[in-house]
């Protein structure tokens, strides 16, 4: 066996990709990708009633948004049912499993009696050691022969050693009487066949691990490294739920959070590397390990997410930023940018990307470049505009006409003009924001003028004094 790391994400397709699932996927992706390993995707669609193709689609889209690419085909667990049954039959042939003919009524009667006698109600099948010659011609399930004494130890990389007394394990059913495999068998067979070396998943599956171990041991298969990560809680310390806000990973795309910020934030939900809060994908890939995963539930904190997102927007490449903003607009069902708007936005990006925590915030600052004339000031801007006379704006026009069109040149020309008028430039800035953007909060007046160019700046000035 090679020592290449193989991880997997194994969602059940019963809804969108939720925050917890996205974090599990990210941890598995980081662990594998950071070690030159493989990251596989298995859709656990054995529950035919609850699984839908739409949910699978939503999970794939969510992962795509987050950039969590997987290796190879998407594996359907349901499609592998024959292989799961084959393993149950192999265990049967090897005497590690048996046919159990007990009916529901018999099992219920067994439990009633055990209860009455004050004994454990774990079902002990009379067929475990029965001579096959005594088998009736009747429906049966296949049960595994669970160890009955000693202990099972799960060596978990997050939880530590978790010990379960074997007398607390029953002879779990592997194959139902209709021949269909149970989920627990499917997971183990799939993980083994897929060559999974590390199982990183929510700690709601810790109990399953003990039962899954039985199958590994009966088959003589290598047990993967387990890492059961604590669930995510809301800011109030209670299990994350709808009342804490959005739960679907993609809802965050539609709210305008950049994927890189989301990845950074999700990585920090339950994992840490010293005091580092903000980091790049490269750093996360280099640093991520199982030792840094905490034992107590992480709390979801929207403020922290926003802060990290702002830092990521600030360092993003402008072309990539434009591309992601266009994807955001589509995800949020907002009108797309025209080619010209996209180009203008990209040109203006240098003065927009600092201090915008989300794409809506960035686009609000971009209003001046996305809007075409005539610029209609909003209420605040209109007030600012009313604080100066048309006369001043008229007088300003030739100075703008003659200014040298560089940041320094514009600063010099406007400051000199303000001084000659006996006012501070600050007094002029509000009205100019209104003229150029129709807004009170904008990038600096000089940056707006530079981005708009002389002609457009003059046109907006002349619109305003009309
Ligand atoms: N399908 C399970 C879930 O969505 C995950 C099982 C596993 O990771 O072993 O919770």
């Amino acid at each position: 066996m090679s020592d290449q790391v193989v991880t997997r994400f194994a969602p059940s397709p019963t809804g969108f990709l939720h925050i917890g699932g996205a974090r599990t996927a990210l941890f598995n992706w980081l662990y594998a990708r950071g070690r030159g390993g493989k990251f596989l995707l298995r859709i656990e669609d054995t529950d035919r009633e609850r699984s839908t193709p739409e949910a699978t689609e939503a999970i794939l889209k969510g992962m795509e948004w987050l950039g969590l690419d997987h290796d190879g085909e998407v594996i359907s667990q349901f499609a592998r049912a024959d292989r799961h049954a084959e393993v149950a039959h192999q265990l049967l042939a090897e005497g590690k499993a048996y046919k159990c003919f007990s009916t529901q009524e018999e099992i219920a009667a067994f439990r009633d009696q055990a209860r009455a006698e004050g004994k454990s109600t774990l079902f002990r099948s009379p067929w475990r050691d029965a001579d096959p010659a005594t088998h009736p011609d009747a429906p049966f399930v296949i049960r595994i022969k669970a160890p009955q004494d000693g202990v099972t130890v799960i060596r978990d990389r997050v939880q530590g050693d978790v010990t379960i007394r074997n007398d607390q394990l029953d002879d779990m059913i592997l194959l139902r009487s209709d021949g269909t495999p149970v989920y627990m068998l499917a997971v183990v067979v799939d993980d083994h066949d897929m060559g999974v070396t590390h199982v990183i998943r929510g700690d709601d599956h810790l109990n399953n691990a003990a039962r899954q171990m039985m199958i590994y041991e009966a088959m003589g298969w290598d047990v993967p490294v387990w890492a059961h990560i604590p669930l995510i809680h809301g800011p109030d310390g209670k299990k994350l739920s709808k009342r804490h806000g959005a739960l679907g990973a993609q809802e965050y795309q539609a709210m305008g959070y950049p994927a890189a910020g989301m990845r950074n934030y999700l990585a920090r939900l339950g994992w840490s590397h010293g005091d580092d809060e903000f980091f790049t994908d490269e750093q996360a890939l280099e640093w991520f390990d199982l030792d840094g995963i905490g034992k107590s539930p992480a709390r979801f904190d929207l403020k922290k997410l926003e802060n990290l997102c702002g830092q990521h927007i600030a360092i993003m490449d402008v072309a990539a930023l434009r591309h992601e903003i266009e994807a955001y607009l589509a995800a949020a069902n907002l009108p797309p940018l025209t080619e010209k708007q996209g180009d203008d936005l990209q040109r203006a990006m240098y003065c927009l990307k600092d201090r915008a925590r989300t794409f809506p915030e960035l686009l609000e600052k971009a209003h001046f470049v996305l809007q075409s004339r005539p610029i209609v000031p909003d209420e605040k801007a209109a007030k600012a505009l009313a604080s100066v006379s048309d006369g001043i704006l008229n007088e300003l026009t030739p100075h703008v006409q003659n200014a040298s069109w560089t940041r320094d040149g514009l600063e010099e020309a406007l400051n000199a003009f303000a001084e000659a008028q006996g006012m501070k430039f600050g007094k002029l800035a509000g009205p100019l924001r209104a003229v150029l953007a129709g807004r009170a909060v904008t990038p600096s007046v000089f940056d707006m003028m530079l981005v708009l160019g002389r002609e457009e700046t003059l046109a907006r000035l002349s619109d305003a004094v009309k």
Side-chain angles (χ1 to χ4, degrees), residues 152-375:
T152 297
V153 181
I154 302 156
R155 301 206 180 285
D156 193 274
R157 288 290 301 276
V158 176
Q159 314 284 338
D161 284 356
V162 181
T163 304
I164 289 111
R165 275 174 32 209
N166 287 338
D167 62 9
Q168 291 175 348
L169 299 173
D170 62 354
D171 290 349
M172 170 175 79
I173 294 176
L174 299 176
L175 221 54
R176 300 185 189 92
S177 57
D178 63 1
T180 57
V182 299
Y183 168 70
M184 215 66 83
L185 173 65
V187 171
V188 173
V189 175
D190 289 347
D191 281 342
H192 171 265
D193 288 359
M194 288 158 69
V196 171
T197 59
H198 293 69
V199 170
I200 306 169
R201 63 185 176 191
D203 67 7
D204 47 335
H205 288 281
L206 185 59
N207 283 333
N208 293 342
R211 318 186 96 209
Q212 292 170 355
M213 285 273 280
M214 287 201 271
I215 303 173
Y216 280 104
E217 272 164 10
M219 288 301 289
W221 287 340
D222 285 339
V223 178
V225 173
W226 308 104
H228 287 94
I229 49 185
L231 300 182
I232 300 170
H233 284 180
D236 56 0
K238 303 214 171 91
K239 194 170 176 275
L240 196 64
S241 74
K242 196 76 204 163
R243 90 199 128 76
H244 292 113
L247 284 183
Q250 269 186 291
E251 289 177 66
Y252 288 85
Q253 179 185 26
M255 287 190 279
Y257 294 99
M262 197 71 193
R263 277 194 296 277
N264 183 165
Y265 181 67
L266 287 176
R268 278 289 292 110
L269 264 186
W271 172 79
S272 56
H273 178 266
D275 293 332
D276 294 301
E277 290 293 345
F278 170 76
F279 41 78
T280 63
D281 289 330
E282 289 69 32
Q283 288 170 314
L285 284 163
E286 194 188 316
W287 295 341
F288 187 82
D289 61 5
L290 301 179
D291 296 331
I293 300 176
K295 266 192 179 185
S296 43
R299 291 192 186 196
F300 194 82
D301 176 349
L302 203 61
K303 277 269 154 309
K304 213 156 135 182
L305 168 65
E306 290 189 340
N307 281 333
L308 289 174
C309 284
Q311 295 181 66
H312 279 277
I313 289 177
I315 62 163
M316 268 175 84
D317 164 76
V318 295
L321 209 39
R322 168 185 180 177
H323 188 74
E324 197 169 340
I325 287 171
E326 287 177 334
Y328 148 70
L329 291 171
N333 281 321
L334 291 168
L337 299 179
T338 62
E339 188 76 22
K340 179 175 180 313
Q341 282 178 316
D343 290 345
D344 288 345
L345 179 68
Q346 191 168 330
R347 245 172 356 94
M349 209 70 95
Y350 80 94
C351 65
L352 303 171
K353 68 194 196 116
D354 289 338
R355 285 192 292 276
R357 291 169 306 177
T358 62
F359 296 144
E361 281 184 18
L362 186 147
L363 288 171
E364 174 59 23
K365 285 170 73 184
H367 192 75
F368 80 96
V369 77
L370 296 177
Q371 224 46 35
S372 43
R373 297 174 44 220
I375 300 300

Side-chain angles (χ1 to χ4, degrees), residues 45-49 77-89 139-143 172-187 189 215:
D45 50 358
T46 47
D47 183 340
R48 302 316 282 169
E49 311 249 292
Q77 186 160 65
F78 178 68
R80 293 177 38 82
D82 288 350
R83 166 66 181 147
H84 307 145
E86 179 184 303
V87 169
H89 283 285
F140 60 86
V141 298
I142 295 181
R143 289 183 185 271
M172 170 175 79
I173 294 176
L174 299 176
L175 221 54
R176 300 185 189 92
S177 57
D178 63 1
T180 57
V182 299
Y183 168 70
M184 215 66 83
L185 173 65
V187 171
V189 175
I215 303 173

